[in-house]
mmCIF file of all heavy atoms in Angstrom:
data_model
loop_
_atom_site.group_PDB
_atom_site.id
_atom_site.type_symbol
_atom_site.label_atom_id
_atom_site.label_comp_id
_atom_site.label_asym_id
_atom_site.label_seq_id
_atom_site.Cartn_x
_atom_site.Cartn_y
_atom_site.Cartn_z
ATOM 1 N N PHE A 1 -2.206 4.194 -5.145
ATOM 2 C CA PHE A 1 -1.611 3.963 -3.841
ATOM 3 C C PHE A 1 -0.900 5.209 -3.321
ATOM 4 O O PHE A 1 -0.981 5.531 -2.135
ATOM 5 C CB PHE A 1 -0.570 2.823 -3.859
ATOM 6 C CG PHE A 1 -1.227 1.460 -4.232
ATOM 7 C CD1 PHE A 1 -1.304 1.051 -5.525
ATOM 8 C CD2 PHE A 1 -1.729 0.753 -3.204
ATOM 9 C CE1 PHE A 1 -1.960 -0.220 -5.855
ATOM 10 C CE2 PHE A 1 -2.361 -0.519 -3.524
ATOM 11 C CZ PHE A 1 -2.431 -0.978 -4.765
ATOM 12 N N TYR A 2 -0.220 5.951 -4.149
ATOM 13 C CA TYR A 2 0.451 7.181 -3.681
ATOM 14 C C TYR A 2 -0.600 8.198 -3.169
ATOM 15 O O TYR A 2 -0.397 8.983 -2.190
ATOM 16 C CB TYR A 2 1.251 7.812 -4.840
ATOM 17 C CG TYR A 2 2.516 7.158 -5.152
ATOM 18 C CD1 TYR A 2 2.964 6.924 -6.544
ATOM 19 C CD2 TYR A 2 3.404 6.817 -4.179
ATOM 20 C CE1 TYR A 2 4.116 6.357 -6.778
ATOM 21 C CE2 TYR A 2 4.684 6.319 -4.490
ATOM 22 C CZ TYR A 2 5.018 6.074 -5.807
ATOM 23 O OH TYR A 2 6.238 5.445 -6.105
ATOM 24 N N LYS A 3 -1.686 8.266 -3.875
ATOM 25 C CA LYS A 3 -2.846 9.179 -3.542
ATOM 26 C C LYS A 3 -3.322 8.857 -2.128
ATOM 27 O O LYS A 3 -3.553 9.735 -1.236
ATOM 28 C CB LYS A 3 -3.902 9.228 -4.498
ATOM 29 C CG LYS A 3 -5.033 10.159 -4.086
ATOM 30 C CD LYS A 3 -5.976 10.613 -5.149
ATOM 31 C CE LYS A 3 -7.132 11.350 -4.581
ATOM 32 N NZ LYS A 3 -6.736 12.527 -3.763
ATOM 33 N N ALA A 4 -3.467 7.605 -1.940
ATOM 34 C CA ALA A 4 -3.956 7.122 -0.677
ATOM 35 C C ALA A 4 -2.976 7.479 0.582
ATOM 36 O O ALA A 4 -3.301 7.969 1.569
ATOM 37 C CB ALA A 4 -4.251 5.547 -0.613
ATOM 38 N N LEU A 5 -1.687 7.184 0.233
ATOM 39 C CA LEU A 5 -0.697 7.557 1.250
ATOM 40 C C LEU A 5 -0.683 9.054 1.522
ATOM 41 O O LEU A 5 -0.458 9.483 2.670
ATOM 42 C CB LEU A 5 0.678 7.105 0.706
ATOM 43 C CG LEU A 5 0.915 5.601 0.664
ATOM 44 C CD1 LEU A 5 2.221 5.265 -0.018
ATOM 45 C CD2 LEU A 5 0.832 4.870 1.998
ATOM 46 N N CYS A 6 -0.763 9.815 0.530
ATOM 47 C CA CYS A 6 -0.722 11.237 0.593
ATOM 48 C C CYS A 6 -1.974 11.713 1.363
ATOM 49 O O CYS A 6 -1.840 12.548 2.294
ATOM 50 C CB CYS A 6 -0.739 11.889 -0.746
ATOM 51 S SG CYS A 6 -0.692 13.750 -0.715
ATOM 52 N N ASP A 7 -3.155 11.203 1.115
ATOM 53 C CA ASP A 7 -4.350 11.568 1.777
ATOM 54 C C ASP A 7 -4.264 11.255 3.182
ATOM 55 O O ASP A 7 -4.761 11.934 4.107
ATOM 56 C CB ASP A 7 -5.544 10.893 1.140
ATOM 57 C CG ASP A 7 -5.898 11.521 -0.176
ATOM 58 O OD1 ASP A 7 -5.350 12.569 -0.608
ATOM 59 O OD2 ASP A 7 -6.837 10.982 -0.854
ATOM 60 N N LEU A 8 -3.638 10.166 3.577
ATOM 61 C CA LEU A 8 -3.601 9.568 4.939
ATOM 62 C C LEU A 8 -2.370 10.197 5.718
ATOM 63 O O LEU A 8 -2.282 10.074 6.913
ATOM 64 C CB LEU A 8 -3.453 8.064 4.925
ATOM 65 C CG LEU A 8 -4.749 7.285 4.427
ATOM 66 C CD1 LEU A 8 -4.383 5.868 4.283
ATOM 67 C CD2 LEU A 8 -5.843 7.474 5.437
ATOM 68 N N LYS A 9 -1.580 10.905 4.974
ATOM 69 C CA LYS A 9 -0.368 11.479 5.516
ATOM 70 C C LYS A 9 0.504 10.385 6.231
ATOM 71 O O LYS A 9 0.986 10.639 7.382
ATOM 72 C CB LYS A 9 -0.614 12.670 6.415
ATOM 73 C CG LYS A 9 -1.351 13.874 5.806
ATOM 74 C CD LYS A 9 -1.663 14.901 6.848
ATOM 75 C CE LYS A 9 -2.155 16.203 6.102
ATOM 76 N NZ LYS A 9 -3.409 15.992 5.201
ATOM 77 N N SER A 10 0.714 9.356 5.474
ATOM 78 C CA SER A 10 1.360 8.172 6.036
ATOM 79 C C SER A 10 2.492 7.790 4.997
ATOM 80 O O SER A 10 2.345 7.845 3.845
ATOM 81 C CB SER A 10 0.466 7.024 6.394
ATOM 82 O OG SER A 10 1.166 5.928 6.935
ATOM 83 N N SER A 11 3.556 7.259 5.497
ATOM 84 C CA SER A 11 4.607 6.741 4.637
ATOM 85 C C SER A 11 4.245 5.316 4.211
ATOM 86 O O SER A 11 3.519 4.676 4.980
ATOM 87 C CB SER A 11 5.989 6.748 5.281
ATOM 88 O OG SER A 11 6.056 5.860 6.420
ATOM 89 N N ALA A 12 4.840 4.749 3.174
ATOM 90 C CA ALA A 12 4.552 3.434 2.788
ATOM 91 C C ALA A 12 4.951 2.398 3.786
ATOM 92 O O ALA A 12 4.247 1.460 4.089
ATOM 93 C CB ALA A 12 5.290 3.221 1.430
ATOM 94 N N GLU A 13 6.104 2.686 4.484
ATOM 95 C CA GLU A 13 6.628 1.731 5.428
ATOM 96 C C GLU A 13 5.777 1.709 6.698
ATOM 97 O O GLU A 13 5.835 0.724 7.468
ATOM 98 C CB GLU A 13 8.106 2.063 5.786
ATOM 99 C CG GLU A 13 8.288 3.439 6.452
ATOM 100 C CD GLU A 13 9.673 3.800 6.592
ATOM 101 O OE1 GLU A 13 10.442 3.364 5.801
ATOM 102 O OE2 GLU A 13 9.972 4.567 7.485
ATOM 103 N N ASN A 14 5.003 2.669 6.903
ATOM 104 C CA ASN A 14 4.083 2.713 7.999
ATOM 105 C C ASN A 14 2.670 2.341 7.746
ATOM 106 O O ASN A 14 1.769 2.561 8.489
ATOM 107 C CB ASN A 14 4.177 4.053 8.759
ATOM 108 C CG ASN A 14 5.581 4.296 9.369
ATOM 109 O OD1 ASN A 14 6.161 5.339 9.015
ATOM 110 N ND2 ASN A 14 6.084 3.410 10.114
ATOM 111 N N THR A 15 2.423 1.791 6.592
ATOM 112 C CA THR A 15 1.141 1.560 6.070
ATOM 113 C C THR A 15 0.924 0.068 5.750
ATOM 114 O O THR A 15 1.921 -0.511 5.150
ATOM 115 C CB THR A 15 0.730 2.455 4.815
ATOM 116 O OG1 THR A 15 0.916 3.876 5.257
ATOM 117 C CG2 THR A 15 -0.714 2.370 4.410
ATOM 118 N N PHE A 16 -0.303 -0.382 5.992
ATOM 119 C CA PHE A 16 -0.581 -1.808 5.752
ATOM 120 C C PHE A 16 -1.731 -1.913 4.813
ATOM 121 O O PHE A 16 -2.725 -1.222 4.832
ATOM 122 C CB PHE A 16 -1.065 -2.342 7.111
ATOM 123 C CG PHE A 16 -1.046 -3.949 7.160
ATOM 124 C CD1 PHE A 16 0.199 -4.533 7.590
ATOM 125 C CD2 PHE A 16 -2.074 -4.647 6.966
ATOM 126 C CE1 PHE A 16 0.179 -6.006 7.694
ATOM 127 C CE2 PHE A 16 -2.101 -6.078 7.014
ATOM 128 C CZ PHE A 16 -0.932 -6.712 7.363
ATOM 129 N N MET A 17 -1.582 -2.817 3.795
ATOM 130 C CA MET A 17 -2.554 -2.905 2.732
ATOM 131 C C MET A 17 -3.269 -4.284 2.823
ATOM 132 O O MET A 17 -2.609 -5.316 3.066
ATOM 133 C CB MET A 17 -1.849 -2.939 1.357
ATOM 134 C CG MET A 17 -2.827 -3.122 0.159
ATOM 135 S SD MET A 17 -3.965 -1.778 -0.047
ATOM 136 C CE MET A 17 -5.267 -2.592 -0.996
ATOM 137 N N VAL A 18 -4.621 -4.290 2.773
ATOM 138 C CA VAL A 18 -5.418 -5.507 2.755
ATOM 139 C C VAL A 18 -6.246 -5.635 1.507
ATOM 140 O O VAL A 18 -6.987 -4.716 1.203
ATOM 141 C CB VAL A 18 -6.315 -5.599 4.058
ATOM 142 C CG1 VAL A 18 -7.028 -6.878 4.133
ATOM 143 C CG2 VAL A 18 -5.557 -5.175 5.273
ATOM 144 N N GLY A 19 -6.103 -6.629 0.783
ATOM 145 C CA GLY A 19 -6.862 -6.930 -0.444
ATOM 146 C C GLY A 19 -7.097 -8.324 -0.806
ATOM 147 O O GLY A 19 -6.337 -9.264 -0.315
ATOM 148 N N ASP A 20 -7.909 -8.654 -1.892
ATOM 149 C CA ASP A 20 -8.114 -9.953 -2.248
ATOM 150 C C ASP A 20 -7.510 -10.351 -3.554
ATOM 151 O O ASP A 20 -7.660 -11.434 -4.104
ATOM 152 C CB ASP A 20 -9.604 -10.236 -2.320
ATOM 153 C CG ASP A 20 -10.280 -9.588 -3.586
ATOM 154 O OD1 ASP A 20 -9.963 -8.381 -3.915
ATOM 155 O OD2 ASP A 20 -11.143 -10.223 -4.220
ATOM 156 N N SER A 21 -6.655 -9.377 -4.058
ATOM 157 C CA SER A 21 -5.983 -9.655 -5.321
ATOM 158 C C SER A 21 -4.508 -9.529 -5.259
ATOM 159 O O SER A 21 -3.995 -8.523 -4.860
ATOM 160 C CB SER A 21 -6.494 -8.698 -6.492
ATOM 161 O OG SER A 21 -5.743 -8.809 -7.589
ATOM 162 N N LEU A 22 -3.707 -10.607 -5.537
ATOM 163 C CA LEU A 22 -2.310 -10.605 -5.417
ATOM 164 C C LEU A 22 -1.744 -9.525 -6.381
ATOM 165 O O LEU A 22 -0.850 -8.693 -6.069
ATOM 166 C CB LEU A 22 -1.748 -11.900 -5.665
ATOM 167 C CG LEU A 22 -0.231 -12.164 -5.427
ATOM 168 C CD1 LEU A 22 0.079 -11.953 -4.012
ATOM 169 C CD2 LEU A 22 0.180 -13.520 -5.820
ATOM 170 N N SER A 23 -2.271 -9.584 -7.655
ATOM 171 C CA SER A 23 -1.721 -8.657 -8.695
ATOM 172 C C SER A 23 -2.123 -7.210 -8.576
ATOM 173 O O SER A 23 -1.330 -6.274 -8.895
ATOM 174 C CB SER A 23 -2.046 -9.206 -10.056
ATOM 175 O OG SER A 23 -3.495 -9.241 -10.206
ATOM 176 N N SER A 24 -3.336 -6.914 -8.108
ATOM 177 C CA SER A 24 -3.908 -5.625 -7.967
ATOM 178 C C SER A 24 -3.736 -4.891 -6.661
ATOM 179 O O SER A 24 -3.554 -3.749 -6.697
ATOM 180 C CB SER A 24 -5.342 -5.571 -8.442
ATOM 181 O OG SER A 24 -5.545 -5.932 -9.670
ATOM 182 N N ASP A 25 -3.519 -5.684 -5.605
ATOM 183 C CA ASP A 25 -3.482 -5.133 -4.240
ATOM 184 C C ASP A 25 -2.089 -5.354 -3.566
ATOM 185 O O ASP A 25 -1.579 -4.408 -3.145
ATOM 186 C CB ASP A 25 -4.745 -5.740 -3.381
ATOM 187 C CG ASP A 25 -6.050 -5.428 -3.865
ATOM 188 O OD1 ASP A 25 -6.303 -4.274 -4.307
ATOM 189 O OD2 ASP A 25 -6.872 -6.408 -3.793
ATOM 190 N N ILE A 26 -1.827 -6.608 -3.535
ATOM 191 C CA ILE A 26 -0.658 -7.020 -2.734
ATOM 192 C C ILE A 26 0.671 -6.695 -3.225
ATOM 193 O O ILE A 26 1.492 -5.938 -2.659
ATOM 194 C CB ILE A 26 -0.762 -8.465 -2.271
ATOM 195 C CG1 ILE A 26 -2.110 -8.845 -1.772
ATOM 196 C CG2 ILE A 26 0.363 -8.875 -1.276
ATOM 197 C CD1 ILE A 26 -2.547 -8.063 -0.596
ATOM 198 N N LEU A 27 0.933 -7.128 -4.545
ATOM 199 C CA LEU A 27 2.274 -6.916 -5.142
ATOM 200 C C LEU A 27 2.612 -5.378 -5.373
ATOM 201 O O LEU A 27 3.615 -4.998 -5.029
ATOM 202 C CB LEU A 27 2.326 -7.716 -6.411
ATOM 203 C CG LEU A 27 2.345 -9.200 -6.269
ATOM 204 C CD1 LEU A 27 2.448 -9.904 -7.632
ATOM 205 C CD2 LEU A 27 3.482 -9.678 -5.365
ATOM 206 N N PRO A 28 1.652 -4.597 -5.917
ATOM 207 C CA PRO A 28 1.914 -3.160 -6.016
ATOM 208 C C PRO A 28 2.155 -2.425 -4.714
ATOM 209 O O PRO A 28 2.951 -1.574 -4.558
ATOM 210 C CB PRO A 28 0.711 -2.598 -6.820
ATOM 211 C CG PRO A 28 -0.361 -3.580 -6.591
ATOM 212 C CD PRO A 28 0.353 -4.898 -6.460
ATOM 213 N N ALA A 29 1.413 -2.889 -3.649
ATOM 214 C CA ALA A 29 1.641 -2.333 -2.420
ATOM 215 C C ALA A 29 3.014 -2.594 -1.795
ATOM 216 O O ALA A 29 3.740 -1.633 -1.300
ATOM 217 C CB ALA A 29 0.592 -2.731 -1.388
ATOM 218 N N ARG A 30 3.353 -3.835 -1.916
ATOM 219 C CA ARG A 30 4.707 -4.250 -1.488
ATOM 220 C C ARG A 30 5.882 -3.641 -2.192
ATOM 221 O O ARG A 30 6.947 -3.304 -1.670
ATOM 222 C CB ARG A 30 4.867 -5.741 -1.519
ATOM 223 C CG ARG A 30 3.970 -6.488 -0.361
ATOM 224 C CD ARG A 30 4.122 -7.938 -0.428
ATOM 225 N NE ARG A 30 3.359 -8.590 0.536
ATOM 226 C CZ ARG A 30 3.043 -9.979 0.669
ATOM 227 N NH1 ARG A 30 3.429 -10.748 -0.420
ATOM 228 N NH2 ARG A 30 2.319 -10.439 1.648
ATOM 229 N N SER A 31 5.617 -3.356 -3.500
ATOM 230 C CA SER A 31 6.649 -2.733 -4.273
ATOM 231 C C SER A 31 6.954 -1.316 -3.911
ATOM 232 O O SER A 31 8.041 -0.784 -4.242
ATOM 233 C CB SER A 31 6.217 -2.785 -5.845
ATOM 234 O OG SER A 31 5.196 -1.842 -6.147
ATOM 235 N N LEU A 32 6.031 -0.702 -3.242
ATOM 236 C CA LEU A 32 6.111 0.659 -2.729
ATOM 237 C C LEU A 32 6.760 0.686 -1.361
ATOM 238 O O LEU A 32 6.994 1.723 -0.839
ATOM 239 C CB LEU A 32 4.761 1.413 -2.771
ATOM 240 C CG LEU A 32 4.096 1.650 -4.088
ATOM 241 C CD1 LEU A 32 2.817 2.344 -3.925
ATOM 242 C CD2 LEU A 32 5.081 2.494 -4.860
ATOM 243 N N GLY A 33 6.880 -0.508 -0.761
ATOM 244 C CA GLY A 33 7.450 -0.599 0.591
ATOM 245 C C GLY A 33 6.323 -0.765 1.700
ATOM 246 O O GLY A 33 6.731 -0.822 2.903
ATOM 247 N N MET A 34 5.122 -0.941 1.210
ATOM 248 C CA MET A 34 4.045 -1.193 2.268
ATOM 249 C C MET A 34 4.067 -2.628 2.592
ATOM 250 O O MET A 34 4.484 -3.532 1.922
ATOM 251 C CB MET A 34 2.706 -0.840 1.663
ATOM 252 C CG MET A 34 2.485 0.566 1.254
ATOM 253 S SD MET A 34 1.072 0.912 0.255
ATOM 254 C CE MET A 34 -0.264 0.310 1.326
ATOM 255 N N GLN A 35 3.600 -2.931 3.838
ATOM 256 C CA GLN A 35 3.296 -4.389 4.189
ATOM 257 C C GLN A 35 1.849 -4.639 3.772
ATOM 258 O O GLN A 35 1.035 -3.766 3.868
ATOM 259 C CB GLN A 35 3.519 -4.495 5.638
ATOM 260 C CG GLN A 35 4.972 -4.244 6.048
ATOM 261 C CD GLN A 35 5.276 -4.196 7.570
ATOM 262 O OE1 GLN A 35 5.389 -5.275 8.105
ATOM 263 N NE2 GLN A 35 5.491 -3.107 8.130
ATOM 264 N N ALA A 36 1.624 -5.880 3.416
ATOM 265 C CA ALA A 36 0.352 -6.248 2.838
ATOM 266 C C ALA A 36 0.046 -7.689 3.136
ATOM 267 O O ALA A 36 0.866 -8.558 3.302
ATOM 268 C CB ALA A 36 0.338 -5.963 1.325
#
């Protein structure tokens, strides 16, 4: 997730995550401050 944020030059708080797995996509993204 950090790599994606770095590549996109975006902060976690300004980034939105979309995925089909609560454990692999949503919870780790939210733990970084992303909305998901």
Side-chain angles (χ1 to χ4, degrees):
F1 293 92
Y2 282 136
K3 177 164 176 52
L5 293 172
C6 182
D7 288 354
L8 293 169
K9 296 180 173 58
S10 180
S11 65
E13 64 189 27
N14 296 125
T15 303
F16 198 86
M17 176 71 201
V18 186
D20 72 321
S21 171
L22 189 63
S23 60
S24 293
D25 299 319
I26 307 307
L27 294 181
R30 287 178 177 169
S31 74
L32 294 177
M34 297 167 61
Q35 297 174 76

